[in-house]
Amino acid sequence: MKDGGDPDRLRILVADGQGHRLDEILRTVTELGHEIVGQTALGDVAAASASVRPDAAIVIVGEGTERALDLIGSIVTEAACPVIAILDVEDEAFIRDAAKRGIFAYITLGRDASALQSSLDVVLSRFAEYQGLEGAFARRAITERAKGILMERHSIDEKRAFELLRDEARRSNRKIIEVAEAVTMSVNLLPRSQID
């Protein structure tokens, strides 16, 4: 839920490649008390998710082809929100391959409202965990890069490089990650060290 109101009411983008299941899914989402913020074709999910900023996207995949798997992969990679795939396919190998493409949850056939709500709950939780881990790894990578830059430029060890970051963070009343980002962003402006 993005703006005040009911915290359980989600903003949902729905995409359908075939059109035959769209009305059913729209009705189910609405009956669950969520808001449909957009409907789009499968190929337009990334752009639509960036513009309407939904809490989640539901994509209906009606075919069990390699093209459908590629589409799922690109949707998951490019979408600005977690993705639930409703697979109108009972082929277990296809479902396994679809899951490998990075969807956060899937439902086969998707006619059960409670299964859809459960999948929404799971997908939002998994997406939040993923974003948290991704953010932690990114912060650590930036800090490690900044320490490496300081070690090279000042001919110091890793412990001393971290102390420099920490001391500057304290002195400037900023977080260590903010200081590390400043170091990594300005590295091209600094002169190369003269190592003997």
Side-chain angles (χ1 to χ4, degrees):
M1 177 68 194
K2 303 278 188 214
D3 321 312
D6 182 358
D8 295 327
R9 183 179 170 103
L10 300 173
R11 301 174 74 249
I12 306 292
L13 172 67
V14 179
D16 189 0
Q18 308 275 317
H20 65 284
R21 293 286 306 287
L22 186 60
D23 289 338
E24 181 183 337
I25 297 302
L26 293 175
R27 188 172 45 255
T28 302
V29 169
T30 304
E31 286 171 2
L32 286 168
H34 304 304
E35 176 187 1
I36 304 292
V37 293
Q39 299 171 39
T40 188
L42 286 177
D44 299 327
V45 172
S49 70
S51 67
V52 299
R53 314 274 306 150
D55 295 314
I58 297 174
V59 298
I60 305 163
V61 180
E63 57 181 302
T65 64
E66 188 62 35
R67 180 187 155 293
L69 289 172
D70 290 342
L71 199 52
I72 289 170
S74 62
I75 288 168
V76 168
T77 302
E78 298 168 13
C81 63
V83 177
I84 295 173
I86 295 183
L87 307 174
D88 282 349
V89 178
E90 292 290 338
D91 177 1
E92 289 203 21
F94 177 84
I95 292 168
R96 236 183 346 269
D97 287 343
K100 288 178 186 174
R101 303 292 168 117
I103 55 176
F104 283 89
Y106 70 90
I107 305 170
T108 57
L109 303 178
R111 292 188 171 91
D112 180 5
S114 63
L116 181 57
Q117 182 59 55
S118 294
S119 289
L120 285 167
D121 295 340
V122 167
V123 78
L124 291 172
S125 175
R126 289 180 68 191
F127 190 71
E129 289 173 12
Y130 173 78
Q131 293 290 79
L133 285 173
E134 189 176 61
F137 287 134
R139 288 187 299 275
R140 178 164 180 123
I142 291 168
T143 302
E144 291 299 317
R145 180 152 189 256
K147 286 192 310 189
I149 291 166
L150 294 172
M151 289 165 61
E152 175 192 342
R153 299 295 164 98
H154 296 289
S155 298
I156 57 176
D157 65 16
E158 184 177 359
K159 180 181 178 193
R160 180 67 187 126
F162 181 78
E163 289 169 354
L164 285 176
L165 289 172
R166 185 194 61 212
D167 293 346
E168 177 59 23
R170 287 179 180 164
R171 188 190 65 68
S172 60
N173 198 26
R174 294 187 293 172
K175 295 180 180 178
I176 290 175
I177 185 64
E178 293 171 357
V179 174
E181 286 171 342
V183 169
T184 59
M185 287 177 21
S186 64
V187 68
N188 293 329
L189 302 175
L190 300 172
R192 302 285 304 159
S193 65
Q194 301 299 321
I195 300 175
D196 298 310

